[in-house]
Amino acid sequence: MTTKTHPVDQQSAIAQLWDQAASGWNEHTPLIRAWLQQATDALISCANIAEGMRVLDVAAGAGDQTLSLADKVGAGGAIVATDISPAILSYAAAHAARGGHRHVEICVADAESLPLDDARFDAAICRLGLMLMPRPDRALSEIRRVLKPDARLAALVFSQIERNPCLAIMMRVACKHAGLPPADPYRPGSLVSLGKPGRLAGMFAEAGFRHVVATRLPAPMILPAVANYMQFVQDSAAPIVAILSRLDPAARARAWAEIEDELRAFSTPDGWSGPNELLLVTGVT
Ligand SMILES: C[S@@+](CC[C@H](N)C(=O)[O-])C[C@H]1O[C@@H](n2cnc3c(N)ncnc32)[C@H](O)[C@@H]1O
């Protein structure tokens, strides 16, 4: 038997998942910033963000990349940071207020149905959000709708599963311990759902974006020890935490211990280096 989930239930489940992971994701902002620094610089540069622009940040989370955008557009520009989770977005609001960024506006919204007028933005970015959406094609159409003509969208997602072995290990071991069949890594909403070569670029084109370009970006996570990575994923990797949440505490601890054992394979003489690869896809309206 298959159970169909109504889209509204699905979206509120996603919002709840990220509400729960919000404080963890926020607390690990320094680690996330260091891990994604080069990719974020490339994202902002490929979206052609410049001073004075009005920019949409989709699935903004705790707002790390929002603040980089705010600096880039300056006080004469404007950023609208959107996310489906009110809790995680409240951190973005707090960081923007603390940094004196009055030109950052916060908007709780599902990217698949943006409560924003047509043709309002000069550019848009989305960092590690699109792959988590059940219908990223709808999100792309919505983003295109709110962009002005000749504006750019730049999005970062995880690339294919073979190039993200830490994610592969976590998903495999988590499903095994939760008694679930091995999950298709490319199912909608999974961490690498848009990682197959050509998949996201094709979706950009179908949504009407022109001049679509996809670039692979290596993004290893370099940490003092595997224990630091374990802390990060246990606090903030909402999709993995959700799979293991069905286990009792002892069984959950066994699952995490097995994940840690396998991830130790990436220990180096200097610490720990988890391979990751991202895809940066850009398009023009
Ligand atoms: C991995 S976090 C990335 C957050 C932030 N962009 C960053 O890179 O730090 C994924 C974010 O996507 C958001 N998200 C998931 N589905 C969404 C949807 N349908 N609409 C808007 N945001 C969504 C989650 O709430 C979460 O904040």
Side-chain angles (χ1 to χ4, degrees), residues 11 14 18 25 32 36 58-62 64-65 83-85 88 109-112 127-129 131-133:
Q11 304 305 63
I14 293 170
W18 284 96
W25 190 266
I32 295 166
L36 296 178
V58 178
D64 177 46
Q65 74 291 312
D83 199 284
I84 200 168
S85 154
I88 203 164
D110 177 1
E112 296 180 18
R127 189 178 86 174
L128 296 188
M131 71 280 174
L132 300 169
M133 300 175 193

Side-chain angles (χ1 to χ4, degrees), residues 1-85:
M1 191 185 86
T2 56
T3 310
K4 280 212 170 131
T5 315
H6 189 273
V8 174
D9 297 342
Q10 215 172 11
Q11 304 305 63
S12 58
I14 293 170
Q16 217 180 348
L17 203 67
W18 284 96
D19 277 351
Q20 284 160 7
S23 68
W25 190 266
N26 180 57
E27 275 160 30
H28 289 287
T29 294
L31 178 159
I32 295 166
R33 178 172 309 152
W35 168 41
L36 296 178
Q37 188 65 62
Q38 281 183 351
T40 306
D41 291 347
L43 182 74
I44 291 175
S45 144
C46 286
N48 279 357
I49 312 284
E51 213 170 323
M53 277 188 169
R54 183 174 171 81
V55 181
L56 176 67
D57 185 1
V58 178
D64 177 46
Q65 74 291 312
T66 314
L67 299 186
S68 303
L69 284 177
D71 285 338
K72 192 85 187 171
V73 302
I79 309 295
V80 177
T82 66
D83 199 284
I84 200 168
S85 154

